[in-house]
């Protein structure tokens, strides 16, 4: 088999461990010089492929690539750009082939979530549709944990750890001030349709550290009266209450509480701002003093408190993607298969992209408590191993010592392309 170069890119919202997957891809590819030549990274995702803006990762040392494992965010830049079908926009696919041919690219590794899986699936079909041999492997990533088939998604465990830790710490704060000041703290977390991240807030309370926490899941229609009654009962019993609310919570009318009428690049409602809405409901309904916060980018960039399990799984997915490509696979995604809960163990599996793209994995009903405001023991058993272990980055002068790659662009061979 002739040696081909590889294309790697990051897509969608970044995470604390997506660069660990990048390290897995690049380091594994470097171990197979008889199969893979250079690894070219797309600057800003698939846009880098379309505009021939390719980064030569060989310009960075082995030490720099290894340092990606403990560096958050997207080392090569990410994007929110979804390819249309080949029937709708054939020119983009023909452009991809031009770029791939010009740079002898035979492997395509796309690191992202559900929409990215769709892009990767479409690229994998170029072989049959346009007659260009390309092996496209999707590398799973999403803080939302909503990809199907895989037990969990790289990026989620670290966000879950951050939210669990933050909820516990903020709750300690509220408890200390509740006698004469704040009685309710509202924390807004990510999660458009699936409440996995919100559920992680429930881990803050345990048998040896009981905390009154109300969770608002997107899977449960928001009931104002029931919510206020729950908060009121907790405040009367404990003197305070913490609320973890998913950005995707919907009212009885089916509208997002945080929907301001804006749309992102994928056409999804651009959410954010549900925490002050919920806090206002508490103020108006119960007259309690409150504080609210939005985890936003902090939750997905917090590499300093990343889960060791998450880091290891993220790296393993990048490594497996290259190994699957070398073995001849196309249009697949490496997955995480849980072997046991206690002791926790897992292995690498494989899923067909056709079964992954555009499919969302919601919270199972049995993971939500009967009253709809908490997590069940089954959910706790599922979540707990994913936040376990510490994998601290190196520190310098009191701050994490993260790597900045050279990101040297390769010489362009084609004319410009407008997207």
């Amino acid at each position: 088999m002739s040696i081909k170069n590889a294309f790697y890119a990051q897509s969608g919202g970044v995470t604390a461990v997506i660069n660990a997957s990048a390290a897995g891809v690049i380091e594994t590819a470097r171990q197979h010089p008889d199969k893979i030549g250079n690894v070219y990274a797309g600057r800003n995702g698939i846009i880098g492929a379309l505009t021939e803006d390719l980064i030569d990762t060989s310009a960075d040392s082995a030490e720099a690539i290894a340092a990606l494992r403990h560096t958050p965010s997207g080392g090569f830049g990410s994007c929110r750009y979804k390819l249309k079908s080949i029937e709708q926009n054939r020119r983009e696919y023909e452009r991809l082939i031009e770029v791939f041919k010009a740079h002898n690219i035979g492997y395509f590794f796309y690191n992202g979530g559900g929409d990215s899986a769709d892009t990767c699936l479409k690229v994998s079909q170029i072989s049959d549709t346009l007659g260009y041999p390309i092996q496209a492997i999707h590398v799973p990533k999403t803080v939302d944990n909503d990809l199907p088939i895989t037990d969990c998604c790289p990026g989620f465990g670290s966000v879950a750890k951050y939210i669990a830790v933050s909820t516990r710490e903020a709750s300690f704060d509220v408890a200390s001030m509740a006698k004469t000041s704040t009685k309710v703290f509202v924390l807004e977390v990510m999660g458009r349709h699936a409440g996995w991240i919100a559920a992680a807030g429930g881990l803050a309370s345990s048998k040896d550290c009981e905390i009154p926490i109300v969770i608002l899941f997107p899977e449960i229609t928001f009931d104002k009266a029931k919510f206020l009654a729950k908060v009121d009962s907790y405040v009367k019993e404990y003197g305070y209450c913490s609320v973890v609310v998913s950005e995707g919570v919907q009212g009885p009318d089916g509208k997002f509480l945080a929907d301001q009428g804006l749309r992102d690049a994928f056409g999804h409602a651009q959410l954010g701002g549900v925490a002050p809405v919920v806090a206002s409901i508490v103020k108006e309904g119960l007259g309690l003093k409150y504080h609210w916060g939005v985890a936003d980018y902090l939750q997905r960039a917090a590499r300093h408190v990343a889960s060791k399990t998450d880091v290891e799984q993220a790296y393993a997915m990048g490594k497996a993607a290259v190994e699957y490509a070398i073995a001849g696979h196309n249009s697949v995604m490496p997955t995480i298969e849980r072997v046991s809960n206690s002791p926790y163990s897992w292995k690498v599996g494989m899923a067909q992209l056709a079964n992954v793209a555009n499919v969302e994995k919601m919270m199972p009903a049995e993971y939500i408590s009967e009253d709809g405001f908490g997590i069940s023991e089954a959910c706790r058993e599922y979540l707990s191993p994913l936040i376990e272990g510490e994998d601290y980055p190196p520190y310098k002068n009191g701050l994490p010592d993260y790597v900045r790659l050279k990101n040297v662009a390769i010489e362009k061979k084609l004319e410009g392309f407008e997207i």
Side-chain angles (χ1 to χ4, degrees), residues 114-135:
D115 288 308
S116 305
D118 178 73
T119 294
C120 196
L121 175 63
K122 289 170 179 173
V123 171
S124 74
Q125 297 167 342
I126 286 179
S127 297
D128 294 332
T129 307
L130 298 177
Y132 180 81
I134 187 79
Q135 287 172 253

Side-chain angles (χ1 to χ4, degrees), residues 194-267:
W196 296 103
I197 299 177
L203 295 177
S205 179
S206 58
K207 292 180 179 179
D208 60 348
C209 186
E210 191 172 354
I211 296 172
I213 300 172
V214 176
I215 303 175
L216 299 179
F217 300 97
E219 290 89 349
I220 303 294
T221 300
F222 180 71
D223 186 313
K224 181 178 178 180
K226 289 184 178 179
F227 166 68
L228 289 174
K230 187 69 174 181
V231 171
D232 186 46
S233 67
Y234 272 158
V235 172
K236 287 178 178 176
E237 181 179 356
Y238 295 91
Y240 73 101
C241 174
S242 289
V243 178
V244 180
V245 54
S246 169
E247 64 182 355
V249 169
Q250 300 178 35
D253 58 1
K255 294 183 179 179
F256 293 112
L257 296 188
D259 190 349
Q260 300 176 1
L262 303 176
R263 293 290 180 270
D264 65 15
F266 290 138

Side-chain angles (χ1 to χ4, degrees), residues 41 52 88 123 202-203 206 213 223 297 306 313 316 331 391 406:
E52 200 189 1
Q88 292 176 297
V123 171
L203 295 177
S206 58
I213 300 172
D223 186 313
Y297 281 9
Q313 291 177 340
S331 194
D391 192 83
K406 295 176 181 178

Side-chain angles (χ1 to χ4, degrees), residues 24-34 36 315 319 323 326:
V25 168
I26 297 169
E27 290 183 342
T28 306
R30 289 182 176 184
Q31 294 168 9
H32 297 277
D34 58 324
I36 300 177
Y315 186 91
K319 180 176 184 288
E323 292 173 342
I326 290 174

